[in-house]
Amino acid sequence: MPVYPPLAITRYWERLNDGLIALAGMVPDDKWNWSPAPGEWNFRGVFLHIAGSRHHWMENAIRDGQGTPDFIRNGQSPDGLKEQLALSWSRQMGLLGDATALASTYRSADDADPWDGDGNWIAFRRLEHDILHRAQLLSYFQILGIELPGVDSAWGAR
């Protein structure tokens, strides 16, 4: 089995995570439950989903032995969401900084949704997921006409 080095992109991805945390601080207090259309997630739901997915993959795919914290209850306030994004990022670093974990093969524990892939594949899926939802959040701000000073359109906070 080949051993891959820790992901070199991690330092850039961390900047994206810092940008997500900054965005959580820019949602107006009266817009946390706003969504652009019925059936779409609101701001709070998108941020919670990002943090929750990271925990889900680390617990259920990587099987890192940590339980998933109650991120929904703990992420109801802007500060709580920032904390949950930071906590889930820190947990994810257990994969991103470990060459053996990146090279290891993982398999779905869910027969209804079978997959297999190495840690690099999982990391790519996680990065893609963060970028997708960051774009969603930026579109929410744009729809509401909220300017984001200090936010780089490519990654996050400058």
Side-chain angles (χ1 to χ4, degrees):
M1 162 173 40
V3 176
Y4 300 99
L7 293 179
I9 195 170
T10 302
R11 67 179 179 263
Y12 304 110
W13 188 354
E14 183 174 38
R15 190 169 153 217
L16 184 144
N17 184 68
D18 292 344
L20 287 169
I21 292 170
L23 287 175
M26 296 178 186
V27 177
D29 290 340
D30 64 337
K31 298 298 181 193
W32 278 103
N33 295 317
W34 179 89
S35 69
E40 295 289 322
W41 285 341
N42 58 32
F43 274 107
R44 183 187 329 274
V46 175
F47 284 111
L48 288 170
H49 174 71
I50 293 167
S53 316
R54 292 171 177 174
H55 287 301
H56 170 80
W57 277 83
M58 292 304 297
E59 182 174 5
N60 298 302
I62 303 301
R63 296 177 182 91
D64 67 356
Q66 299 179 36
T68 295
D70 192 350
F71 65 93
I72 294 176
R73 182 177 49 138
N74 297 331
Q76 290 301 306
S77 69
D79 285 342
L81 278 169
K82 291 177 190 178
E83 185 177 303
Q84 294 308 308
L85 289 167
L87 178 65
S88 63
W89 172 256
S90 177
R91 183 177 185 181
Q92 195 168 249
M93 286 296 295
L95 168 65
L96 303 178
D98 183 336
T100 302
L102 288 168
S104 295
T105 299
Y106 302 92
R107 287 187 171 64
S108 172
D110 182 359
D111 291 335
D113 182 24
W115 57 265
D116 68 326
D118 66 13
N120 285 284
W121 176 80
I122 292 171
F124 176 77
R125 286 192 61 156
R126 305 306 335 127
L127 174 60
E128 179 183 40
H129 184 262
D130 282 3
I131 292 170
L132 166 80
H133 289 299
R134 182 185 178 284
Q136 180 182 20
L137 290 163
L138 290 176
S139 71
Y140 283 17
F141 284 107
Q142 185 177 30
I143 291 167
L144 291 171
I146 298 171
E147 292 194 29
L148 302 172
V151 173
D152 179 323
S153 63
W155 287 101
R158 283 186 242 181

